[in-house]
Amino acid sequence: MKRGFAWMLALLLLLGLLSGCGGGGDNATASDTASSSVATDGADDAGGSYGAWPEAQVAEETTGESGEDRLENAKMIYTARMEVETTGFDAADADLRTLVEVLGGYFEQAAVHNYGSGYRSGDYTVRIPADQFQAFLDQVGTICHVTYKEEDSENVSEAYYDAESRLVTQQTKLERLQALLAQAENMEDIITIESAISETELEIERLTGTLRQYDSLVDYATVYISLQEVYQLSNVEEPATTFGSRMSTAFASGWRGFVSALEGLAVALAYGWVWLLLLVVIGVVVGRILWKRKHQGQRPGAGEAEKKS
């Protein structure tokens, strides 16, 4: 009986070792998988990295499956970064929050900054349902003026299903260990089996956490938005084609640059008014001292008095 327990325990330990060796990739994060980065002009092609699986290509050739069928169970993580502008910050902020709520998303982080320049900025981290990812990006473009947009898609199917398979293996191992523990008779076998059960439970907990993290990233896409309040939206002028329109555009741009420079100077002076006042006081005092010295030297008889002395 004791020899049978030893053989069963050795077999279970070998099973755990093999499952651990086969899962070296479960610690890989989403950045270790294939990613596709798309700039603004190619935003509609965010799913281009789907067809990067050679196994899926073989399956299509042998079974005739369409691309949609092959991707039905794919685990994709979508991420986007957007830089947008607005001339009305309050309205844009309110519309953005309403849009997130309507599409079933939530704000993971939201911060509004005002550094004293008169213009505000906001940084948002939005989690949006994956099936609303493109719709959300398109709607943000109607709320604000988009100056930069980047989309990333990462296929984590291999890592996900590998972790899922090893979780099933560990759960089967735990059931067998618990059955062995119920049949164990001597203390040595009981201690050994309980130690193996503890290690197996820790591995199950770790794999379960990994799968939950993947599920969160797959079910909800992540969008980072930087919102900037500006006096005038950039890159929205009509292209100048004639000489007159080009000159008009140049004069208008020069005037806006001059006004912007004056505004910046006024803000800088407002920040440093104490130092400016101090410089004025010092200038007045030094001027009065120099003026007195100059007029004292020009008084009548000043030179004769010096000679007599």
Side-chain angles (χ1 to χ4, degrees), residues 36-38 43-44 46 79-80 133-134 137 149-153:
S36 170
S37 176
V38 186
D44 294 334
T79 307
F133 178 63
Q134 285 297 333
L137 298 184
K149 180 170 69 174
E150 177 186 350
E151 298 178 37
D152 297 328
S153 60

Side-chain angles (χ1 to χ4, degrees), residues 55-110:
E55 296 84 352
Q57 295 175 1
V58 174
E60 182 178 3
E61 293 175 359
T62 56
T63 64
E65 290 182 282
S66 64
E68 290 78 5
D69 294 334
R70 289 189 291 106
L71 298 176
E72 183 177 358
N73 295 322
K75 299 295 182 179
M76 304 298 299
I77 296 177
Y78 296 107
T79 307
R81 293 169 178 81
M82 302 183 70
E83 295 180 5
V84 295
E85 294 177 340
T86 182
T87 56
F89 186 88
D90 292 330
D93 179 80
D95 290 343
L96 182 60
R97 295 178 184 274
T98 301
L99 176 62
V100 172
E101 182 179 358
V102 169
L103 294 182
Y106 63 93
F107 285 91
E108 194 172 75
Q109 181 267 342

Side-chain angles (χ1 to χ4, degrees), residues 98-300:
T98 301
L99 176 62
V100 172
E101 182 179 358
V102 169
L103 294 182
Y106 63 93
F107 285 91
E108 194 172 75
Q109 181 267 342
V112 176
H113 312 284
N114 187 348
Y115 298 108
S117 62
Y119 296 103
R120 290 162 292 176
S121 62
D123 294 311
Y124 309 91
T125 301
V126 179
R127 302 299 306 279
I128 206 75
D131 57 353
Q132 300 292 337
F133 178 63
Q134 285 297 333
F136 177 75
L137 298 184
D138 295 339
Q139 289 297 318
V140 171
T142 64
I143 295 175
C144 308
H145 175 61
V146 179
T147 59
Y148 175 80
K149 180 170 69 174
E150 177 186 350
E151 298 178 37
D152 297 328
S153 60
E154 301 179 6
N155 194 330
V156 295
S157 300
E158 183 178 1
Y160 184 93
Y161 291 120
D162 178 67
E164 190 176 57
S165 175
R166 288 187 294 107
L167 177 60
V168 173
T169 300
Q170 293 297 321
Q171 290 172 340
T172 302
K173 176 184 174 182
L174 179 61
E175 293 175 358
R176 294 177 179 176
L177 285 171
Q178 289 172 341
L180 280 177
L181 181 62
Q183 300 174 9
E185 297 178 353
N186 62 75
M187 186 58 64
E188 182 179 355
D189 290 341
I190 292 175
I191 293 175
T192 303
I193 295 174
E194 286 181 343
S195 177
I197 288 177
S198 178
E199 293 178 359
T200 304
E201 288 176 340
L202 288 176
E203 183 67 11
I204 289 175
E205 183 179 350
R206 186 179 67 84
L207 291 171
T208 301
T210 299
L211 291 176
R212 286 176 180 171
Q213 181 182 11
Y214 277 134
D215 286 335
S216 174
L217 295 174
V218 169
D219 294 341
Y220 281 80
T222 305
V223 183
Y224 303 95
I225 300 176
S226 176
L227 174 62
Q228 185 70 40
E229 185 180 26
V230 295
Y231 172 74
Q232 182 175 1
L233 302 179
S234 59
N235 303 323
V236 295
E237 296 178 350
E238 293 293 332
T241 56
T242 64
F243 176 77
S245 61
R246 291 169 61 188
M247 288 295 294
S248 176
T249 301
F251 278 116
S253 298
W255 174 252
R256 285 196 298 270
F258 176 72
V259 171
S260 178
L262 288 180
E263 290 179 352
L265 179 60
V267 171
L269 292 177
Y271 273 111
W273 69 270
V274 175
W275 292 102
L276 181 63
L277 179 61
L278 180 61
L279 290 176
V280 171
V281 171
I282 294 175
V284 171
V285 172
V286 172
R288 289 179 61 88
I289 293 174
L290 294 177
W291 184 84
K292 287 181 178 180
R293 288 182 178 180
K294 179 178 179 181
H295 284 74
Q296 285 178 354
Q298 294 178 354
R299 285 184 306 175

